[in-house]
DNA sequence: CTTTAGAATGGAACATCATTCCAGATGTGT
DNA sequence: ACACATCTGGAATGATGTTCCATTCTAAAG
């Protein structure tokens, strides 16, 4: 080479694990849109090629990051206790994880049957026998619960994206405003329900829906 | 001007409606990733600036396209009849619409409480009184149903994206293969259920989950 | 009929992104 | 000392969403 190449080498080896950790840090701190390879190379002080040596693509990286977060929630301490309580605990764990890391919600809806989703599927489905759901109905039942959790996850992620910066009250007020301006003739239910929008708790509403499904599942046995 | 400018002007005026229609055509024919402003300008034989005069952004365009598809399904013929049947009909309409236009599923999970989602929310929530759900519980109940539909919608969209080209059987076989290779100790439920994966019907499973929720909702009244 | 302001158009230019490519540097086994 | 695979950093590359701007058209006003 002609010029004086610095020749410095990183003392801390670049690992897939460290890359995923850096990605999670960026996602948590600045949101989904901030995760670019530029931001990653800057934070890890390296080049894009080095990252691509450990990671296949950005999708791969996002899937690994989501899996990392979900894995922490679905590793169940022990399997005893009430099945209904256990399912509630796992679902709430996923809900809280997505509440803390909204980008996970968006990611889960993107990857259909990949590892993060399979973890949730297993954690929930494995408890259905204890809930009294007959084996033949367990597939449908688990799919229903997972789809519900994923729906809430996606909505939470979308809300977080829209409400970025502004506080929750102001965000809900904006939505309520938009709903109020709808035609009351064509949207009577929306109008009727707008009042409850401002002071509703997402977490509690999530639990209410979960109980609805669990009640239906138990009733069908 | 110096050179002979063609000076041609389109005889058919460019409308927001025509742009949305062109976008839907591209999305249906070639999938989500094919909708670019370059593809749009080519199809409409115009420039990017002309499109931006009628449309605020790509997100705006996607939201309008999704709203267009959903509006066709949620305009209810008439409100009589069994409430449960009506909710099933609307939900199935949304399911089928997303099955025919998978990109709508991805879009619905992206826009939190925008017009397309409000339509579904109204169509479902407006029937809850007829189902016997007490007013105080209707908000939670409608949210649960909508979240479930959205979860299924997102999964369908993700599946369509992954299975693009290959037929359904081959796609399911790939998933089943991946599930079989999981550790049977940590994923017993997934293993047990893999057999049912190949010959399950998405539409029927969607209905099963819907009935689960409706049963739970009716039971809580 | 002429003038004029705004609506609408088409395409070039721009900034940004994911990804690829490559010239090296580093370590390991022989 | 040598060769080889692993690993690194940064410079291209190609594609995308968006902005900018010089025009052209339309319709109302003078």
């Amino acid at each position: 080479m002609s010029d004086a190449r610095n020749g410095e080498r990183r003392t801390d080896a670049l690992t897939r694990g460290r890359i995923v950790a850096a990605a999670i840090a960026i996602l948590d701190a600045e949101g989904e849109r901030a995760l670019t390879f530029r931001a990653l190379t800057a934070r890890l002080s390296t080049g894009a090629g080095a990252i691509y040596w450990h990671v296949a693509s950005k999708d791969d990286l996002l899937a690994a990051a989501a899996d990392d977060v979900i894995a922490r929630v679905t590793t169940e301490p022990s399997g005893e206790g009430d099945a209904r309580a256990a399912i509630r605990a796992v679902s709430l764990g996923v809900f809280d994880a997505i509440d803390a890391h909204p980008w996970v919600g968006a990611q889960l809806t993107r990857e259909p049957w990949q590892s993060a989703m399979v973890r949730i599927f297993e954690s929930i489905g494995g408890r259905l026998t204890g809930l009294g759901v007959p084996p033949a109905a367990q597939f449908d039942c688990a799919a229903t619960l997972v789809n519900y959790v994923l729906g809430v996850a996606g909505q939470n992620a979308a809300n977080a994206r829209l409400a970025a910066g502004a506080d929750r009250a102001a965000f809900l007020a904006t939505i309520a405003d938009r709903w109020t301006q709808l035609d009351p003739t064509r949207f009577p239910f929306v109008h009727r329900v707008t009042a409850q929008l401002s002071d509703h708790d997402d977490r509690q509403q999530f639990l209410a829906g979960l109980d609805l499904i669990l009640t239906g599942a138990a009733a069908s046995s």
Side-chain angles (χ1 to χ4, degrees), chain A residues 93-139:
Chain A
V94 174
F95 179 89
D96 288 337
I98 290 167
D99 198 52
H101 316 271
W103 52 272
V104 175
Q107 181 55 25
L108 286 183
T109 68
R110 226 166 287 152
E111 42 171 334
W113 275 317
Q114 290 198 314
S115 52
M117 248 221 46
V118 174
R119 286 184 204 276
I120 304 175
F121 194 61
E122 173 70 36
S123 289
I124 290 180
R127 312 291 193 160
L128 291 181
T129 302
L131 199 79
V133 178
Q138 288 186 5
F139 185 31

Side-chain angles (χ1 to χ4, degrees), chain A residues 78-87 127 129-131:
Chain A
S78 61
E80 87 302 336
D82 185 12
R84 188 174 179 124
I87 292 180
R127 312 291 193 160
T129 302
L131 199 79

